[in-house]
Amino acid sequence: MKIYHVNSFIGKGFNGNPAGLVIMNQNLDYIEMLAIAKEVGYSETAFLLQEENNRNYLRWFTPQTEVGLCGHATLATAHVFFQENKSDKVEFETKYGVIECSRINDSISMNFASDRIITCCKDFDLSPLKIHKADIVDVFWAEKNCYLNVVVNPEYNIRKIEPLADKLLELSQYFPSISGLMISQQAEDSDGQKCVNSRFFDPWEGILEDPVTGSAHVAMANYWFEKLTCNRFIGKQLSPRGGIMQVVKAIDKVELIGKADIKKIVLNLKN
């Protein structure tokens, strides 16, 4: 068994999101994976089981529970896989479906099944987070990921949001199945491309604020493709660490492109 610490969705001025990666010699049970994820302590830890038939099984855990999709831990897994296997393509079998990953120069492309967007009402209070109704442009629900996305004015200072776990958890009374809150806004173009700023909160799965969230960009992609009338935009997550990725429209899929870097190998057990 090997355990890696990897920074995902890094870029100039962006520190990215740390992820744990466990490459297993044999399958572990749920309790064992959860215990390791708690010990690693990052927002998500990926568990990869490679079988002799070249099938690769991938799961993701927060320190509190297993999650249905994690983009930054998938990027971390693909980065390590390409480093260790001298390969440029891999498929991971997951509960979210098959995720195809490819190495493109110093970046990695990942293809995820797209999410369905459902428009929601605005009748809930986010003022304790310093978001008032006048700040809100749209509210929509991402059906597959169970994420609520609140779109705010471009002029709103998204960095001033102060996440409060108890106030965020109150959203469960309006959205019983919620597993994440994304705040996003149109930003100024960057390098000639459309750009979206965001932050992501998930106390429902034990993460007050996730530094950079690939799954949330998958969940909001179709909204912003239509809103910005584009097939590609740059996603900048403005958490205290910050992270960056390219979000690209594909047939029935969303492609995320980002960079990662191995911080360290913390365990390498031969048996």
Side-chain angles (χ1 to χ4, degrees):
M1 180 170 67
K2 294 181 180 179
I3 301 179
Y4 295 81
H5 289 189
V6 182
N7 268 347
S8 294
F9 295 123
I10 59 175
K12 186 177 181 181
F14 295 93
N15 294 321
N17 196 355
L21 168 62
V22 180
I23 299 181
M24 301 178 289
N25 299 324
Q26 60 185 17
N27 203 15
L28 303 174
D29 64 30
Y30 181 96
I31 299 300
E32 291 172 315
M33 292 184 191
L34 185 59
I36 292 172
K38 286 181 179 179
E39 183 66 24
V40 171
Y42 290 142
S43 58
E44 275 92 7
T45 296
F47 291 82
L48 176 65
L49 180 64
Q50 300 172 272
E51 295 197 339
E52 292 180 357
N53 57 5
N54 292 322
R55 298 180 73 176
N56 301 284
Y57 299 94
L58 186 61
R59 296 170 71 176
W60 312 277
F61 283 75
T62 75
Q64 181 173 304
T65 187
E66 184 173 11
V67 297
L69 176 63
C70 180
H72 86 277
T74 302
L75 177 58
T77 306
H79 178 76
V80 172
F81 184 93
F82 293 147
Q83 292 289 318
E84 292 213 337
N85 293 275
K86 307 303 180 184
S87 173
D88 291 325
K89 291 186 179 181
V90 64
E91 290 185 352
F92 298 123
E93 297 186 34
T94 78
K95 292 184 177 180
Y96 196 82
V98 175
I99 300 173
E100 301 172 352
C101 300
S102 303
R103 178 158 50 185
I104 306 173
N105 298 321
D106 61 345
S107 299
I108 291 172
S109 163
M110 304 172 288
N111 284 277
F112 302 91
S114 61
D115 210 333
R116 190 167 81 94
I117 302 303
I118 302 171
T119 302
C120 300
C121 68
K122 305 176 184 179
D123 294 333
F124 49 87
D125 185 17
L126 291 178
S127 59
L129 308 182
K130 297 188 176 181
I131 303 173
H132 299 276
K133 287 189 176 181
D135 303 316
I136 298 173
V137 176
D138 278 321
V139 179
F140 64 87
W141 179 258
E143 185 178 53
K144 192 175 180 69
N145 285 279
C146 294
Y147 291 165
L148 181 68
N149 195 311
V150 176
V151 181
V152 295
N153 290 313
E155 297 80 16
Y156 177 79
N157 182 5
I158 203 169
R159 295 182 186 272
K160 75 177 183 180
I161 298 172
E162 296 180 358
L164 304 168
D166 57 338
K167 295 301 179 182
L168 288 167
L169 290 170
E170 288 178 2
L171 290 173
S172 296
Q173 65 184 301
Y174 305 101
F175 307 94
S177 60
I178 187 171
S179 62
L181 171 66
M182 190 86 174
I183 311 296
S184 64
Q185 65 185 169
Q186 182 175 351
E188 293 183 7
D189 290 359
S190 178
D191 296 326
Q193 293 188 58
K194 302 292 186 180
C195 187
V196 175
N197 291 340
S198 65
R199 290 177 70 183
F200 183 78
F201 311 100
D202 189 7
W204 301 273
E205 295 176 328
I207 308 162
L208 181 56
E209 178 168 10
D210 194 34
V212 200
T213 317
S215 61
H217 284 79
V218 172
M220 71 175 181
N222 285 335
Y223 173 88
W224 285 109
F225 290 145
E226 181 176 352
K227 189 78 171 180
L228 301 175
T229 61
C230 67
N231 293 323
R232 176 190 296 260
F233 64 85
I234 295 174
K236 294 181 179 180
Q237 203 153 325
L238 302 184
S239 65
R241 285 186 62 88
I244 189 168
M245 70 192 78
Q246 292 187 61
V247 186
V248 184
K249 187 175 184 179
I251 299 175
D252 297 325
K253 290 185 179 293
V254 175
E255 179 186 8
L256 302 184
I257 302 172
K259 298 179 180 180
D261 182 51
I262 298 173
K263 292 177 64 179
K264 58 182 176 179
I265 302 174
V266 294
L267 181 63
N268 188 353
L269 299 179
K270 299 297 182 181
N271 299 316

